[in-house]
Amino acid sequence: MQMIKACHINAERLKDSAAIAFCEYNIANLLLYREQFDEAQTMFLELKDSKWLSDDSKDIPLIQLSKISQFKDGNYNQSIEYIDTFLSRNQHNVSNGAAYSVKADAYYGLNQMDSAQLYYHLSLTESTDPTTFCNTYRRLSEIQTVKGNKDSAAYYIKQANLWMDSSMIAYNPNIIYKTILNNRGIGI
């Protein structure tokens, strides 16, 4: 956090609008993931109207505001409204994968499993993040379990596990390094 704040101070001193927006967005995300929802919400509300954000980025804070509506208040309807606003305004090259996933989570929270399933499937078609794939397949397995579809639930669990394994390999450089050395017969 201190490094991001120092970056923000320098960006303001240099009047570097892209760097200012980058720092503010990352500070707000850090607050969100630390569950400091009120502070994060304030920052994201300011960011969506910020003069520092480019036109193609102004609506991205709506996705994070949608998460805050779910995590802080359990206000799934407000969450869906934020996502619908994002989706209606998203006229640029920002993937809708994350938005669909958050919207699916909101429908899941409202116990509207058919709508949740639809948006989880849409998320799979537009997402590029391995963690999103893993979580989406896990949620789809839960939905299928609730519906009593054991075969489908098993399929989605298998997919979630495959993505989890892939994510662990991709995100753990020590495992990658050891795997490369072992494949070369060097072993550690």
Side-chain angles (χ1 to χ4, degrees):
M1 179 71 130
Q2 289 175 344
M3 291 184 71
I4 295 173
K5 285 184 177 180
C7 172
H8 188 268
I9 290 168
N10 282 330
E12 282 185 334
R13 184 178 55 78
L14 297 170
K15 296 183 180 7
D16 183 343
S17 62
I20 290 169
F22 173 81
C23 293
E24 288 179 353
Y25 185 80
N26 283 292
I27 290 169
N29 268 333
L30 184 61
L31 292 168
L32 171 61
Y33 294 116
R34 286 185 174 174
E35 297 183 8
Q36 294 172 284
F37 298 126
D38 292 331
E39 296 91 342
Q41 185 173 28
T42 298
M43 285 195 76
F44 283 122
L45 285 168
E46 291 171 2
L47 272 168
K48 76 179 183 64
D49 299 321
S50 173
K51 64 181 179 180
W52 304 116
L53 281 178
S54 63
D55 287 339
D56 62 340
S57 300
K58 284 193 181 282
D59 296 324
I60 294 173
L62 293 169
I63 296 172
Q64 303 307 66
L65 288 166
S66 177
K67 291 177 185 178
I68 292 169
S69 292
Q70 289 184 39
F71 301 152
K72 177 185 168 202
D73 303 319
N75 190 341
Y76 301 110
N77 291 315
Q78 176 66 54
S79 177
I80 291 168
E81 287 178 30
Y82 277 128
I83 294 300
D84 286 343
T85 302
F86 170 82
L87 293 170
S88 70
R89 292 183 187 172
N90 187 18
Q91 304 299 319
H92 19 78
N93 293 327
V94 177
S95 168
N96 289 333
Y100 289 144
S101 182
V102 174
K103 189 170 183 175
D105 288 343
Y107 279 118
Y108 187 93
L110 290 168
N111 203 29
Q112 296 179 17
M113 297 305 165
D114 289 337
S115 294
Q117 185 172 341
L118 168 69
Y119 283 99
Y120 283 129
H121 281 285
L122 287 171
S123 172
L124 290 173
T125 64
E126 291 209 26
S127 185
T128 58
D129 177 44
T131 304
T132 299
F133 281 114
C134 181
N135 291 335
T136 299
Y137 280 121
R138 183 182 50 77
R139 284 291 199 175
L140 285 167
S141 72
E142 292 170 5
I143 290 170
Q144 294 306 315
T145 300
V146 168
K147 289 182 168 186
N149 300 329
K150 293 178 184 177
D151 290 340
S152 293
Y155 168 79
Y156 289 125
I157 288 170
K158 182 178 178 181
Q159 293 301 311
N161 289 338
L162 288 172
W163 279 100
M164 179 62 81
D165 291 345
S166 298
S167 296
M168 293 303 296
I169 291 169
Y171 291 123
N172 193 333
N174 291 331
I175 292 174
I176 295 170
Y177 179 70
K178 287 177 182 180
T179 302
I180 291 170
L181 292 178
N182 284 335
N183 287 336
R184 292 186 178 166
I186 298 172
I188 301 180

